[in-house]
Amino acid sequence: NAPEETLRVLELYAHDHPRVTIHCFSYDGAIARNFIDLGCYLGIGATITYPKNNALRDVIMQQSLESIVLETDAPFLPPQTLRGQENHPQHVKTVAEYIAQLRGISWHDVAQITTANAMKLFNLPADQGFSAEIKEANI
């Protein structure tokens, strides 16, 4: 609950640490834009499926998918349909499907874009073929 303070700190180090993710992003569009302008990725998890989380859904509709990475926060914060249960990394597909439905695109497109973002974020070699593996595994 300290987005302004976090932004101030990141502004000091933005040029020294160019790859940053804002884990479990839960703020509004203005704050999202500030983080993105600093080069941060927004970590979006299953909280987007929660009925009262309209602000996060608005952020996903307003911002480019090139600015987000998917996450689960396992074992916490499962998708709405699994509330009260332990979360698992496999539920990242639910997050991709939900975002795809919101934006009217395929979940494969969401998976490809956010996988490419994660590869940049974590400086993974492009020849890993993660996108192909996602399609082959149908996850």
Side-chain angles (χ1 to χ4, degrees), residues 9-130:
V9 170
L10 287 174
E11 286 171 350
L12 296 173
Y13 300 99
H15 298 296
D16 296 332
H17 302 284
R19 293 186 312 263
V20 174
T21 184
I22 305 302
H23 171 63
C24 205
F25 182 83
S26 60
Y27 303 109
D28 64 24
I31 293 172
R33 186 80 256 152
N34 287 328
F35 280 122
I36 291 167
D37 288 347
L38 284 175
C40 300
Y41 290 93
L42 308 179
I44 306 297
T47 59
I48 196 166
T49 67
Y50 296 178
K52 295 182 181 179
N53 209 343
N54 291 325
L56 186 55
R57 285 187 282 278
D58 289 345
V59 167
I60 291 302
M61 294 303 292
Q62 296 167 1
Q63 304 303 326
S64 168
L65 289 179
E66 282 75 11
S67 300
I68 70 165
V69 292
L70 303 183
E71 57 186 30
T72 62
D73 199 40
F76 309 108
L77 302 173
Q80 178 63 29
T81 57
L82 300 171
R83 292 289 292 269
Q85 299 178 38
E86 187 174 277
N87 198 4
H88 296 276
Q90 71 192 34
H91 299 308
V92 74
K93 181 181 179 189
T94 302
V95 176
E97 289 171 334
Y98 194 89
I99 291 171
Q101 183 178 10
L102 278 177
R103 295 186 66 126
I105 60 176
S106 80
W107 77 266
H108 281 105
D109 289 342
V110 173
Q112 283 188 306
I113 293 167
T114 57
T115 297
N117 296 343
M119 291 173 70
K120 288 179 203 169
L121 175 66
F122 297 109
N123 200 26
L124 298 172
D127 62 352
Q128 292 294 314
F130 292 117

